[in-house]
Amino acid sequence: MRLDLITIFPEYFAALQLSLIGKAITDDLVQVGVRDLRDYTHDVHRSVDDTPYGGGAGMVMKPEPWGEALDAVLAEAPQRPVLVVPSPSGVPFNQGIAEELSHQSHIVFACGRYEGIDHRVIEWAKQRFDVRELSLGDYVLNGGEVAALAMIEAVVRLLPGVLGNPDSLVEESYAVATDGLLEYPVYTKPASWRGLDVPEVLLSGHHGKVAQWRAEQSRNLTAARRPDLLG
Ligand code: 6SD
């Protein structure tokens, strides 16, 4: 999988070198290109923003640097890429979308700042990319970088060979995606810690009772925290 990131803060993506994603890059399961949007400007100030038509607060990202940066990505793209545009007005990102994106060969992330990107960039891009405007959640970030990092982590860990133990993928799709319930609580040694004991059933070695207890915990947690997930 190829990932291209367009941003005015390339340093955010240094974090991709860490942990499992860093290993996936080292192992060449993922190729990452980070482009500084200011490299596609031509004025001395390397301006990427301007005042909004129609007035209002804040600044809007100018279309020209975006056009040139996206042209540069397309010039090296063998096929029509996906363009993910993180936005609080996007479709809510979830495990199902992460799974879909994990089957793509080339994803480009357009990380906006200020009040967003001139809308003509999105309109133009629809002719050349499969554009996905995606929201990380109902809160406002300062830009698309943190949202892109979260989405990349959710996608890359699904690629074959990235997770050490693929059993954890099966268990978790049972817990969060397929079944649609929240994860039951987990424990490790010691069996007693600061006066708090691990639930007896987990020490019993009775696999049927353990499974039953976990299912009940999942159901109760989901009812309390995410009643919207229950049928
Ligand atoms: C202006 C952005 C891009 C600003 C964002 C995405 C979500 N879920 N919250 N906030 C966001 C994305 C904010 O560029």
Side-chain angles (χ1 to χ4, degrees):
M1 170 179 282
R2 165 103 202 153
L3 300 175
D4 281 294
L5 307 157
I6 307 173
T7 174
I8 60 169
F9 294 117
E11 297 88 348
Y12 265 100
F13 297 101
L16 294 176
Q17 303 305 318
L18 303 173
S19 190
L20 286 173
I21 300 183
K23 177 74 162 31
I25 294 169
T26 305
D27 293 348
D28 208 32
L29 299 171
V30 187
Q31 298 82 44
V32 178
V34 183
R35 293 172 191 265
D36 186 338
L37 185 67
R38 292 194 198 276
D39 292 346
Y40 302 91
T41 61
H42 301 286
D43 62 309
V44 282
H45 301 293
R46 311 227 295 165
S47 311
V48 293
D49 62 325
D50 206 337
T51 54
Y53 274 121
M59 299 291 270
V60 173
M61 294 192 104
K62 297 158 58 66
E64 301 96 323
W66 279 108
E68 292 199 24
L70 292 168
D71 284 345
V73 168
L74 286 171
E76 296 178 3
Q79 285 139 9
R80 184 181 171 93
V82 170
L83 181 67
V84 172
V85 185
S87 164
S89 321
V91 170
F93 181 75
N94 60 23
Q95 191 66 23
I97 294 174
E99 157 76 23
E100 272 178 53
L101 293 178
S102 74
H103 298 292
Q104 298 294 328
S105 58
H106 189 186
I107 309 176
V108 183
F109 288 84
C111 301
R113 281 271 150 178
Y114 314 107
E115 300 306 311
I117 305 170
D118 185 303
H119 190 63
R120 291 169 294 181
V121 174
I122 316 299
E123 290 306 304
W124 171 87
K126 285 178 183 171
Q127 297 164 15
R128 288 156 180 92
F129 296 83
D130 292 335
V131 175
R132 309 283 302 260
E133 285 188 77
L134 299 176
S135 169
L136 195 60
D138 291 338
Y139 40 79
V140 180
L141 301 170
N142 285 334
E145 288 79 7
V146 166
L149 281 168
M151 293 179 202
I152 289 167
E153 182 157 311
V155 169
V156 169
R157 63 190 294 284
L158 298 178
L159 299 178
V162 172
L163 277 199
N165 174 10
D167 276 1
S168 52
L169 271 186
V170 176
E171 290 235 339
E172 137 194 295
S173 65
Y174 170 77
V176 332
T178 306
D179 204 84
L181 297 178
L182 302 185
E183 288 262 24
Y184 49 79
V186 295
Y187 303 85
T188 186
K189 291 172 279 299
S192 185
W193 175 76
R194 298 192 179 186
L196 300 172
D197 294 343
V198 172
E200 192 70 48
V201 61
L202 299 179
L203 311 175
S204 69
H206 193 306
H207 300 304
K209 284 187 179 166
V210 168
Q212 203 179 355
W213 180 86
R214 286 176 169 169
E216 181 188 310
Q217 292 293 314
S218 281
R219 179 107 199 146
N220 292 345
L221 258 188
T222 308
R225 295 184 184 169
R226 295 295 306 277
D228 57 299
L229 295 180
L230 293 174

